[in-house]
Amino acid sequence: MLAKVTSFFLLILFPVVSFGVHKLQLGADVWCPYTCDPKSDKPGYMVEIAKAILRPKQIDVIYLVIPWARAIEDANAGKIDGVIGANRIEAAEFVIASKGQGAAKFDIFALASSSWTYAGEKSLKGKKIGVIKGYGYDEESVRLMKAKPENFFEAGGEDPQEILIKNLISGRIQGFYENESVFSYALKMLKHSAKEFKKVGTFDSSQQEVFVALAKKTEKRSEEHTSELQ
């Protein structure tokens, strides 16, 4: 698997052999344990995977913390080389490996005292679910966000998890759609106990593959090399 991913990166970025260290700028928001504090010795396991694969090939991965929606925009505009942690929906315009470097499942989290549970589209009536701006999540949640925007509250910026958890506690939203590991990490950083919250359903119970995704504008010949992902 690592060999295939290595070949993918090298052929996308450097189709002609060259010498010296190359820099690869990859953006993501803090979505720990996938992408964490870049100054930490544990910057996130997907960051570590990318660095481990590429460092021996003289490619220096520069991980930049950027709000997710802007990271996608910057990569598409060629301002950075790609993003870390995109699923297939988010990476539709990017070049990715045939298999993800990670996986994520999402659940709706509510206050432990809540009597509400998600039981299909009709149960959203009168409720607001917190989501992060620019996240693709899964097909069903994307459909619902488009069909019922009044039932969703988007948070962006540098600390969207903190914003949504605070809104959940205050009652401004009734649920927060997030990955359990990420949610648990955010609670720990905010000094909240997991016992204060509970799962109340999900929009999609499947695991979503997540990728280190390279922008097509990184290299004009990138489309020619997609066969290397197989």
Side-chain angles (χ1 to χ4, degrees):
M1 176 62 191
L2 290 183
K4 288 185 178 180
V5 177
T6 301
S7 298
F8 156 58
F9 280 120
L10 293 176
L11 286 170
I12 292 297
L13 295 169
F14 312 111
V16 178
V17 175
S18 56
F19 300 94
V21 176
H22 301 275
K23 294 186 182 299
L24 181 67
Q25 291 189 318
L26 301 175
D29 58 354
V30 173
W31 200 53
C32 206
Y34 299 83
T35 52
C36 306
D37 181 352
K39 297 177 183 178
S40 168
D41 59 350
K42 294 181 179 180
Y45 84 82
M46 290 194 66
V47 178
E48 294 181 53
I49 286 173
K51 288 187 174 185
I53 292 169
L54 298 174
R55 188 181 294 114
K57 304 299 180 181
Q58 299 299 300
I59 302 171
D60 187 13
V61 172
I62 309 298
Y63 160 45
L64 304 172
V65 173
I66 307 171
W68 186 248
R70 200 180 91 207
I72 296 288
E73 291 175 3
D74 285 357
N76 280 324
K79 294 179 181 179
I80 59 176
D81 300 304
V83 296
I84 304 175
N87 64 20
R88 290 188 183 276
I89 295 171
E90 296 162 322
E93 298 302 318
F94 291 75
V95 181
I96 57 175
S98 58
K99 292 184 179 180
Q101 290 78 47
K105 177 183 174 296
F106 297 92
D107 294 287
I108 304 170
F109 293 90
L111 293 176
S113 59
S114 175
S115 61
W116 178 76
T117 57
Y118 178 70
E121 190 170 333
K122 291 182 179 180
S123 67
L124 288 174
K125 185 177 181 180
K127 307 297 180 185
K128 276 196 179 293
I129 307 301
V131 293
I132 296 175
K133 186 177 181 180
Y135 276 28
Y137 294 106
D138 48 66
E139 290 184 2
E140 178 61 8
S141 64
V142 169
R143 183 190 73 79
L144 287 169
M145 283 188 275
K146 290 179 179 178
K148 293 184 170 292
E150 70 277 9
N151 295 120
F152 291 89
F153 173 80
E154 280 191 334
E158 300 293 337
D159 299 298
Q161 281 92 3
E162 179 177 351
I163 292 170
L164 292 173
I165 288 170
K166 286 182 176 179
N167 274 271
L168 186 58
I169 292 169
S170 70
R172 293 185 65 188
I173 61 176
Q174 289 69 52
F176 176 13
Y177 198 47
E178 185 54 281
N179 170 264
E180 184 173 9
S181 296
V182 176
F183 186 70
S184 296
Y185 175 83
L187 291 181
K188 183 179 178 180
M189 293 298 99
L190 294 171
K191 302 188 185 310
H192 282 290
S193 169
K195 294 180 180 179
E196 298 174 53
F197 306 88
K198 66 180 179 181
K199 295 179 186 179
V200 293
T202 184
F203 298 127
D204 188 328
S205 61
S206 64
Q207 288 272 357
Q208 305 293 316
E209 287 184 291
V210 289
F211 301 82
V212 175
L214 295 182
K216 291 181 180 179
K217 288 189 177 182
T218 298
E219 166 54 51
K220 292 180 180 179
R221 291 178 59 193
S222 61
E223 288 293 342
E224 299 174 19
H225 305 309
T226 52
S227 61
E228 294 298 319
L229 310 185
Q230 307 308 318

